[in-house]
Amino acid sequence: GLAGYEARRSRADEPGAVSRLSAFLRFGQLSPRALHFAVRDAGLPREQVKTFGRRLHWRDLASFHLSVFPEMPWRPIRAHYASHEWSGDASALRAWQRGNTGFPMVDAGMRCLYATGWMHQSVRMVVASFLIEYLGISWVDGARWFHDTLVDADLAINSMMWQNAGRSGIDQWNFVLSPETGSQDPSGGYVRKWVPELAGLPTKHLHAPWKAPAATLSAAGVELGATYPHRIVPDLPAARRITVAALLRMRASSLDFNDAGGYDLITLPTGETTRVFTKQEFRLTASGLLKPPPSGSRGRGSAPSRHTSG
């Protein structure tokens, strides 16, 4: 319920951890205004409802973004990001879409999506991060697949999420979610439901079966490459270095859109120019070199989050 939302909202393995009201909001069966006032009048401390309320406001923010940037579903808001080099690996995209990447948390989420038309919010972020950061596939491909498969597909919300995940939106994601820790599924119940071929593995090996001893895999009836696929990305840090290098090349070739602080510049429909948040690892000097962080500072964008795997 709402009282436990703040503490449990990241848990994909607990059915009641999130509201699952998104489809009702999307199709007008539930008024966002009525929901806002219901939350406000619930009598709960602000600390228990702050994220739920903020996510409701994000819905309106996404609609505002789409009204200002009507090409947002396919064109980067940071216009120079259109020259970003993305992988065209169709087989990797297909493996992601069908939940056959060899990363159980990613595969569970994508299989759940294809079977039910819905996916837990935290898992949506895991699979989006995996597509962008490790497969190096365009956010546009991810947005299209989600829009085709989600029962709560909302053009504005979907586009805003994927733009931010793809680094080209107004609020570039300041984190990289690990596809292997399974922090959203500590009990293993989520993966066991959607990736049943791994159900016999102990929870400690469930989200990274390639780390399990051969005897443990055998006892669980798991043969990597036969009953469950090998990882399509064997070296996560190396894969991410490739995607980051592609972004830095693009930014270095577009220095007219780089301000003195190393932040991206965008042009608004009014013709005005404004800067938008840019992660520290993507900031460049006027000559196109990596901009060192401020001395003694670990501000926003200066370090990966605790969920980062590489």
Side-chain angles (χ1 to χ4, degrees):
L2 182 60
Y5 180 86
E6 188 69 29
R8 315 301 291 177
R9 58 190 164 86
S10 67
R11 294 288 297 269
D13 56 343
E14 292 187 359
V18 293
S19 72
R20 299 200 64 161
L21 293 175
S22 53
F24 299 96
L25 288 164
R26 164 66 181 87
F27 289 101
Q29 295 162 292
L30 176 63
S31 161
R33 182 171 296 182
L35 183 57
H36 165 75
F37 285 109
V39 171
R40 190 196 67 176
D41 298 339
L44 295 170
R46 180 184 177 279
E47 290 303 307
Q48 284 187 271
V49 299
K50 62 181 182 180
T51 301
F52 189 96
R54 185 165 62 241
R55 287 181 171 177
L56 192 58
H57 289 129
W58 286 349
R59 180 178 180 276
D60 285 350
L61 176 63
S63 295
F64 172 71
H65 281 186
L66 185 61
S67 72
V68 175
F69 303 101
E71 296 181 334
M72 185 172 77
W74 65 87
R75 189 183 300 277
I77 291 175
R78 305 182 193 215
H80 50 298
Y81 279 51
S83 63
H84 190 295
E85 299 173 17
W86 295 106
S87 169
D89 189 338
S91 64
L93 176 60
R94 185 68 171 175
W96 176 82
Q97 290 172 333
R98 297 299 187 177
N100 289 310
T101 68
F103 289 86
M105 198 67 213
V106 174
D107 293 344
M110 297 307 293
R111 293 182 192 187
C112 175
L113 171 62
Y114 197 70
T116 70
W118 189 83
M119 191 193 301
H120 187 287
Q121 169 67 15
S122 294
V123 184
R124 296 185 195 201
M125 298 168 79
V126 171
V127 303
S129 190
F130 183 76
L131 186 76
I132 302 296
E133 302 286 349
Y134 299 114
L135 295 184
I137 292 175
S138 172
W139 62 270
V140 176
D141 291 310
R144 286 172 177 161
W145 186 252
F146 267 37
H147 198 73
D148 284 347
T149 52
L150 281 170
V151 71
D152 62 9
D154 179 291
L155 186 63
I157 296 172
N158 192 47
S159 301
M160 184 176 78
M161 187 202 90
W162 279 102
Q163 283 259 8
N164 290 337
R167 308 161 177 155
S168 59
I170 295 293
D171 192 19
Q172 195 174 75
W173 279 5
N174 189 36
F175 51 83
V176 180
L177 292 179
S178 170
E180 58 184 358
T181 64
S183 62
Q184 304 80 14
D185 181 35
S187 73
Y190 187 74
V191 164
R192 287 191 176 94
K193 178 176 181 178
W194 294 108
V195 190
E197 58 267 46
L198 299 180
L201 284 174
T203 301
K204 66 180 290 186
H205 295 303
L206 186 62
H207 300 101
W210 56 91
K211 295 180 180 179
T216 301
L217 292 172
S218 179
V222 176
E223 183 182 350
L224 297 181
T227 62
Y228 184 68
H230 286 298
R231 293 171 291 164
I232 62 174
V233 182
D235 187 334
L236 291 173
R240 187 166 187 272
R241 284 194 292 271
I242 292 172
T243 65
V244 170
L247 183 138
L248 293 176
R249 285 195 301 273
M250 174 274 297
R251 292 208 71 231
S253 68
S254 308
L255 292 176
D256 287 346
F257 297 94
N258 187 64
D259 81 349
Y263 287 75
D264 277 312
L265 296 171
I266 65 169
T267 302
L268 301 174
T270 60
E272 298 172 279
T273 298
T274 188
R275 79 173 187 170
V276 287
F277 169 71
T278 306
K279 288 179 69 173
Q280 178 65 57
E281 66 175 320
F282 301 152
R283 295 177 197 169
L284 300 180
T285 66
S287 58
L289 302 176
L290 279 174
K291 189 175 183 66
S295 179
S297 171
R298 286 189 62 188
R300 189 184 180 205
S302 64
S305 78
R306 61 187 175 88
H307 296 294
T308 303
S309 64

